[in-house]
Amino acid sequence: MRVAITTHSRLSRRRALQLAAGGAVVATGLPASAHHGWSWAEDAQTELKGTVKSVSMAPPHPSLQVTAVDGVLWQIDLANPNQTARSGFTETSAKPGDAIVVLGNRHQDKTKMLMKAVRITVAGKTYDLYPERIKTN
């Protein structure tokens, strides 16, 4: 059985799908955009030494949980998955218990133990996540 679809119905259905898709993008994009980028981070870069507690390669960006030498637990955000992979860092590059040195920009709010890494060093291997942003060599 064939059903005729009028131009009006086709446009209405298409417009409804566009609006629904656009709403989904806006709804999911807003919380992420508040966190992504660098506006939340200090301009100065800090070096953090510690031990890897966990590694996550899940989108929107890989991250590490690192226990600093003073015992404080930090979240270390890496680059987006493609850029992290281009740096050479993979899910097997670090494991819980590994010593790590992180160079990055910490959160402007000092109560948040959050840093965006530009370079990490694990087991003597250096991964430059954002080579263009590294201020010290």
Side-chain angles (χ1 to χ4, degrees), residues 40-53:
W40 57 269
E42 291 182 341
D43 287 332
Q45 291 179 342
T46 305
E47 186 175 88
L48 176 74
K49 294 180 181 182
T51 305
V52 174
K53 182 175 180 183

Side-chain angles (χ1 to χ4, degrees), residues 18-117:
Q18 288 172 339
L19 289 171
V25 168
V26 169
T28 59
L30 286 177
S33 67
H35 176 78
H36 290 246
W38 295 85
S39 63
W40 57 269
E42 291 182 341
D43 287 332
Q45 291 179 342
T46 305
E47 186 175 88
L48 176 74
K49 294 180 181 182
T51 305
V52 174
K53 182 175 180 183
S54 66
V55 178
S56 171
M57 299 303 281
H61 49 78
S63 64
L64 307 170
Q65 296 290 313
V66 174
T67 304
V69 294
D70 63 2
V72 175
L73 182 64
W74 284 77
Q75 177 174 321
I76 308 299
D77 287 349
L78 306 181
N80 69 58
N82 289 332
Q83 192 165 340
T84 297
R86 281 193 304 274
S87 78
F89 189 86
T90 68
E91 61 276 353
T92 61
S93 298
K95 63 185 182 310
D98 285 348
I100 188 169
V101 178
V102 180
L103 176 66
N105 302 74
R106 70 174 294 171
H107 201 289
Q108 291 176 12
D109 180 347
K110 302 281 193 219
T111 65
K112 295 183 180 185
M113 301 297 108
L114 174 61
M115 178 183 287
K116 189 157 187 172

